[in-house]
Every structure is written in structure tokens, then in C-alpha cells.
Amino acid sequence: MKLLRVLEEREFLRVGGTQPIHVDVRVIAATNRSLRAHVEDGAFRADLFYRLNVLSIYLPPLRERPRDVPHLVRKFIDDYSKEHDRPFHGVSAEAMQMLMNYPWPGNVRELRNLVESMVVLAPGREIQPDDLPRQIRDGGAARWLPVPIPGANAQAQATREGRELEFILRSLLDLRLQVEDLKRQVGNGGVEWSPDASGVSDGQFIGEVLPADGT
């Protein structure tokens, strides 16, 4: 395995070359799996593991450090308010407590996506518990898309759910931002706009995007 030689001897051979090239680099590797357990199971090469495992830093998942949630929420709010040029009136204490109680199976990425959606779709006031998705209010007991498949691997199922949900959320956010940009252009007199130009009104858009219970 050529990577082992690079890690051990700090040199490699260029394709077609005959002289070794020395490198002075630091390798940073990250994983969400227990590599030591995989080594014991034979699923990961022991020689590669011991060459990588010089200084190990364990970063607990977000569900194990709920006190970090408010700090991350404030950071993401500040970032996305500037990025989307939208004012945000904050999150109530009750809603923030729900965010802290949620297990965050998608870790920080899931929290970041939720905060971006709150900034873009903010109702013009402080976020209350009822404004949060049902899954957050239920503490993770409810499920989003897709319907779980009986007998499917739980971890693989959760990964598929996270990817599909992120794709849907990103698509909706992009569409909402495009609509708002077009409205700003109309307000500046740059474009003539008819509510029926796209064949879908704002009311239809919101009604089709959100479930009947508004979550």
C-alpha cells in the first residue's frame, strides 16, 4: 500500500519516475466510526490505523454536548443573516430548549441546515416552539422522509433520510430565495411581474411545501 510508505518514510515515487520525492506534510484524518473496533473486526488495516493514530482527538456528537447548541445556533444565525441579507429576530428560550433536547442524528450539519431554513423562512418575529419542525418538537420521536423499510439497516436508513431531507431543504431554500430576488427586482422597477407568471402563487407554494399541520 503506497500510502503506508508515504506515512512511514515521508517519500513517494511519481508515476513513471525513478527518484523518490520527499515530502514534509501533516496528515489529518477524520471519521465518525470506531476505527479500533474495525481493526479488531478486520474491516480496517491495522498497519494503516497505527500509522495514522499518532494524536487522537475525540469530538463527541452534538447530542452529547447540548450546551454547545445555543452557541452554534447564534453563530449560524449570524452567518446566514449576512449571507441572505435577512434580519432575524432570534429564538425564544422555549424553542432553544427544544433544540437542546433534540438528539441531532445528522449532527452539526442538521442543525446548520435547520438554522438556515429558519433565517430564510422566518415569520418576522422571534421563533417559537410551534415554528419548529414537528420532529424537533417531538424530540426526534417523529420521522421525516422516507417511510422506513422493514428489515433495512437502521444506520443506512438514517443516512438516506438525511441526504434526501437535505436535498429537499436545499431545493426549497433555493426556490424561495429566487422568488424573493425576483420580487426585489420588481420592487425596484426592473421587471414586470404578474402573480400568475409562474402559474403558482405564494399561497400555493407554501401550501404545497408545508404539510397540513404547518410543520
Side-chain angles (χ1 to χ4, degrees):
M1 189 175 182
K2 296 181 179 180
L3 179 59
L4 294 177
R5 178 180 178 182
V6 175
L7 295 174
E8 182 71 20
E9 302 179 8
R10 303 296 179 92
E11 65 178 26
F12 67 95
L13 288 177
R14 182 178 295 159
V15 176
T18 57
Q19 296 297 324
I21 299 175
H22 294 273
V23 293
D24 183 13
V25 297
R26 293 181 179 179
V27 178
I28 300 177
T31 180
N32 61 353
R33 306 292 182 89
S34 173
L35 291 186
R36 190 176 296 276
H38 281 289
V39 168
E40 295 174 356
D41 295 338
F44 193 86
R45 290 186 58 148
D47 49 1
L48 177 57
F49 172 73
Y50 290 115
R51 282 174 172 82
L52 289 173
N53 191 33
V54 177
L55 176 62
S56 180
I57 300 176
Y58 173 68
L59 181 62
L62 192 56
R63 64 178 176 273
E64 294 181 11
R65 44 192 177 99
R67 290 185 296 180
D68 288 355
V69 170
H71 301 290
L72 291 170
V73 168
R74 286 192 287 269
K75 176 64 167 61
F76 294 148
I77 287 175
D78 183 63
D79 291 344
Y80 289 123
S81 294
K82 294 176 181 177
E83 178 180 336
H84 299 302
D85 191 24
R86 292 183 61 86
F88 190 75
H89 300 278
V91 180
S92 70
E94 295 80 4
M96 184 65 75
Q97 187 61 51
M98 286 186 174
L99 296 178
M100 295 176 65
N101 294 338
Y102 182 63
W104 299 109
N107 219 349
V108 177
R109 176 184 296 178
E110 183 181 4
L111 175 62
R112 184 181 64 222
N113 289 344
L114 175 67
V115 172
E116 184 176 10
S117 70
M118 290 195 300
V119 170
V120 174
L121 306 174
R125 54 172 170 74
E126 188 178 61
I127 295 295
Q128 300 296 326
D130 289 342
D131 298 318
L132 298 176
R134 184 178 60 199
Q135 177 159 327
I136 305 293
R137 299 199 307 266
D138 292 345
R143 298 181 66 93
W144 283 348
L145 299 176
V147 176
I149 302 175
N153 179 271
Q155 186 170 359
Q157 184 73 20
T159 300
R160 288 195 297 270
E161 290 181 1
R163 290 175 179 171
E164 292 187 17
L165 180 60
E166 181 175 356
F167 173 78
I168 294 172
L169 178 60
R170 288 286 178 184
S171 300
L172 295 179
L173 291 177
D174 289 343
L175 178 58
R176 177 63 180 267
L177 292 174
Q178 291 173 15
V179 171
E180 293 190 350
D181 288 341
L182 183 58
K183 287 184 177 181
R184 280 196 289 268
Q185 295 179 30
V186 172
N188 294 332
V191 180
E192 291 186 3
W193 168 261
S194 168
D196 298 326
S198 64
V200 180
S201 67
D202 284 350
Q204 289 175 313
F205 173 74
I206 297 298
E208 292 176 6
V209 167
L210 298 178
D213 63 356
T215 58

